[in-house]
């Protein structure tokens, strides 16, 4: 038996039941008990529909052709010939185009000699103008969204939520930094500019390691283990602290007089602490929290006519998973969510299913886990391992499987090769908001579609023209630009070998009475269009820069725009660029905010115990050496926070606040510059203006004030103080 099969056998052996479960043809094949209960016929109907939609989406997007990393070299599906006409029908598909744009962005243009032919088969130089524009557009967008630290914040909707929102804001900043969300968002923006859209998948992960160790654990009087609120053993070195509760009269925290376990803040300290040494099983957690990843564009399928990922009838995410990881996840899933007979039955069914899946190969099949896309230029094959690889298809679809006439949003996980259902449940039981765990960051939105148009596609025609001109110029200046004439009879070596090769480093001997001019002559072809070709190339470069909105003063040198050397010209270039680029920022903003919102909701839904975190104050480092300040948060501190708070980008929010307060200050100054009678009549209008700009406490800010004045003639003030101003007629409003 193969090595990987032996490894699977050893792993599955402890899980096997006494006898395998006989297939009665009625019970569902999926081993895990969930709320989405189906019989065998309903399960088969769901799986059949999902696989049919997968095949339809692959044909629609072109993945059935372009799934191979070197699809342009397949002669069986070439359709036409000729320079720049497209030699392969895969290049006309939605996914084929994106594959080409992705390779061109990576400066990998080896595909052009076979895909486009013509001049590219002789000279295949690339002027990375579109790549340069795309990289600068990415850099500008990243600087806009993530140029400040922190780059997001949680704002309360109601005044009563302010303290809780502040605590959640600090904790979420630390958690999102742990999850490296900012880096994922930056990658998503880059992929969006390259391809037009980028799909980000959010999930909750718990990466850890199980091991055994000898430790002294807390036991009760009967010798039974005393566990903490988190279900873990209480060790001798765990700390106990005074319990803090909130005084209902003052609302301030006070000590109750009880001692509780510090790590969970709930478990009360027993009167007597008895610790017994024993061998225990423990789990060390490397990371527990939300995770966001950019999905490979060739492994995500969504109907092209769908307006959004959430509104599509079906979306599919394809990925590979080693059988060992799958078995480990199943053990934990069953142990955590099943008990008694359900647990035993689920364990035995999962073993049967794993046995069937173990017959798979060790070859990766998706773009994310293989080098079929990125390294195909080197002729590398798909990666292989010694462990069986399961080709997983994760469906998120809308389908009525139970026949009640109501469409349900369901998540279905299947093995593509065997078409075996691995897991299914209602979407609302999987994600905190009941929505699919995918977000789409896009630019140049296509009306009524979920995808966009990237910069590489936007400037494709100009880039191709530039490359054609440069390669034609290069070809004309190469060896094809001259003609060599050689008379072998004029040399002794030529007489012996009429097919003598030149430029071989061999010294030639002239025949008697012959001259070098008679033996060899070179005629250079007249080249009178190279200068015009380069001028055209520079013209199209300038067009690309202007359209992108990222042109700078140096780019103006390409077309001889001397005005850009002056300060006025530089300011004009910058101003026009900002106006053009603001449209891209508006397209990107929802896609940047949505993953952040999903990640925060995942944190709110999964925080089940007290957690200690390190917080740094804004603009400064807490503690010496950047140690920060240690704080703690309990599940109750952020309960229902998704209802009472909203998450906004801090830079965008800061600009909004600054603009609102600047305009509000002008209104306040103008209001108090009016006479008292005018203030009385316009107070309500001024308050409404401030409220419209979302300025808090407008009723307290706008209050008519009588300004006392001294009596005429400079006499003594009356005993009651200064007299009011003389009454004036209010202006016409």
């Amino acid at each position: 038996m193969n090595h990987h099969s032996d490894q699977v056998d050893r792993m599955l052996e402890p899980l096997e039941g006494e006898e395998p479960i006989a297939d009665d043809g009625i019970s569902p094949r999926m081993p895990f008990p969930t709320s989405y209960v189906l019989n065998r016929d309903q399960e088969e109907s769901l799986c059949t529909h999902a696989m049919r939609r997968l095949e339809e989406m692959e044909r629609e997007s072109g993945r059935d052709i372009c799934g191979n990393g070197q699809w342009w070299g397949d002669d069986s599906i070439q359709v036409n010939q000729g320079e720049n006409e497209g030699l392969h029908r895969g290049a006309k598909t939605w996914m084929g185009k994106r594959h080409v744009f992705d390779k061109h962005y990576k400066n990998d243009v080896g595909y052009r000699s076979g895909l486009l032919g013509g001049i590219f088969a002789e000279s295949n130089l690339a002027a990375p103008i579109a790549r340069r524009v795309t990289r600068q557009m990415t850099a500008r967008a990243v600087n806009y969204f993530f140029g400040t630290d922190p780059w997001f914040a949680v704002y309360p909707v109601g005044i009563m939520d302010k303290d809780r929102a502040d605590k959640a804001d600090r904790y979420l900043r630390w958690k999102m930094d742990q999850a490296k969300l900012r880096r994922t968002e930056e990658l998503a923006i880059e992929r969006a500019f390259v391809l037009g859209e980028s799909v980000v998948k959010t999930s909750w992960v718990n990466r850890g390691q199980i091991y055994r160790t000898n430790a002294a654990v807390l036991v009760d009087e009967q010798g039974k283990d005393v566990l903490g609120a988190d279900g873990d053993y209480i060790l001798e070195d765990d700390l106990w602290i005074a319990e803090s509760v909130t005084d209902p009269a003052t609302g301030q925290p006070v000590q109750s007089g009880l001692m509780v376990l510090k790590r969970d803040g709930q478990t009360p300290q027993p009167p007597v602490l008895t610790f017994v040494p024993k061998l225990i099983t423990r789990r060390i957690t490397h990371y527990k929290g939300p995770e966001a990843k950019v999905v490979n564009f060739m492994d995500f399928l969504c109907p092209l006519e769908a307006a959004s990922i959430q509104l599509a009838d079906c979306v599919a995410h394809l990925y590979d998973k080693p059988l060992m990881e799958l078995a480990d996840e199943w053990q934990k899933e069953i142990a955590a969510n099943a008990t008694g007979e359900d647990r035993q039955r689920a364990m035995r069914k999962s073993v049967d299913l794993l046995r069937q899946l173990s017959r798979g190969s060790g070859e990766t099949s998706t773009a994310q886990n293989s080098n079929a896309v990125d390294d195909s230029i080197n002729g590398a094959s798909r990666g292989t391992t010694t462990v069986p690889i399961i080709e997983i298809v994760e469906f998120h679809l809308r389908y009525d499987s139970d026949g009640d006439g109501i469409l349900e949003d369901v998540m279905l996980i299947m093995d593509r090769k065997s078409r075996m259902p691995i897991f299914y449940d209602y979407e609302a039981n999987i994600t905190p908001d009941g929505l699919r765990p995918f977000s789409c960051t896009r630019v140049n939105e296509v009306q009524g579609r979920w995808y966009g148009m990237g910069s590489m596609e936007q400037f494709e025609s100009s880039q191709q023209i530039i490359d054609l001109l440069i390669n034609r110029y290069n070809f004309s200046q190469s060896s094809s630009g001259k003609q060599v004439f050689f008379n072998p009879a004029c040399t002794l070596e030529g007489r012996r070998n009429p097919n003598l090769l030149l430029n071989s480093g061999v010294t030639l001997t002239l025949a008697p009475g012959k001259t070098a001019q008679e033996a060899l002559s070179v005629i250079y072809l007249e080249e009178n269009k190279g200068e015009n070709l380069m001028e055209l190339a520079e013209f199209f470069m300038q067009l690309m820069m202007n359209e992108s909105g990222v042109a700078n003063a140096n780019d103006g040198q390409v077309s001889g725009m001397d005005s850009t050397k002056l300060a006025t010209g530089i300011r004009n270039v910058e101003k026009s660029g900002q106006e053009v680029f603001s449209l891209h920022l508006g397209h990107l903003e929802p896609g940047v905010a949505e993953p952040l919102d999903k990640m925060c909701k995942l944190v709110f839904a999964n925080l089940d115990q007290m957690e200690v975190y390190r917080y740094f104050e804004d603009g400064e480092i807490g503690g010496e050496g950047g140690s920060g300040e240690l704080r703690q948060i309990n599940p109750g501190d952020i309960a229902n926070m998704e209802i009472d708070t909203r998450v906004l980008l801090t830079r965008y929010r800061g600009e909004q606040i600054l603009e609102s307060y600047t305009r509000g200050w002008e209104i306040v100054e103008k209001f108090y510059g009016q006479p008292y009678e005018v203030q009385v009549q316009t107070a309500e209008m001024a308050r409404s203006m401030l409220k419209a700009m979302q300025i808090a406490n407008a009723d307290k800010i706008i209050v008519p004030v009588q300004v006392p004045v001294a009596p005429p003639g400079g006499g003594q003030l009356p005993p009651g103080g200064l007299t009011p101003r003389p009454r004036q007629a209010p202006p016409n409003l």
Side-chain angles (χ1 to χ4, degrees), residues 570-640:
I570 294 175
R571 285 196 298 268
N572 289 338
V573 169
E574 181 180 3
K575 182 178 179 180
S576 62
Q578 290 175 348
E579 292 174 350
V580 174
F581 196 74
S582 63
L583 182 63
H584 299 301
L585 297 175
H587 292 174
L588 286 169
E589 187 176 319
V592 174
E594 189 175 358
L596 175 62
D597 182 63
K598 286 183 176 293
M599 294 278 277
C600 292
K601 290 179 179 178
L602 280 171
V603 173
F604 296 155
N606 290 280
L607 183 65
D608 53 3
Q609 64 184 41
M610 185 193 73
E611 188 168 3
V612 178
Y613 64 97
R614 193 178 302 277
Y615 175 72
F616 295 90
E617 293 291 344
D618 297 347
E620 63 181 2
I621 299 179
E624 297 181 359
S627 60
E629 179 182 354
L630 288 177
R631 301 194 180 190
Q632 65 184 34
I633 191 167
N634 294 302
D637 296 334
I638 59 174
N640 300 322

Side-chain angles (χ1 to χ4, degrees), residues 637-648:
D637 296 334
I638 59 174
N640 300 322
M641 191 62 69
E642 69 275 10
I643 298 176
D644 299 328
T645 62
R646 52 184 172 176
V647 179
L648 296 176

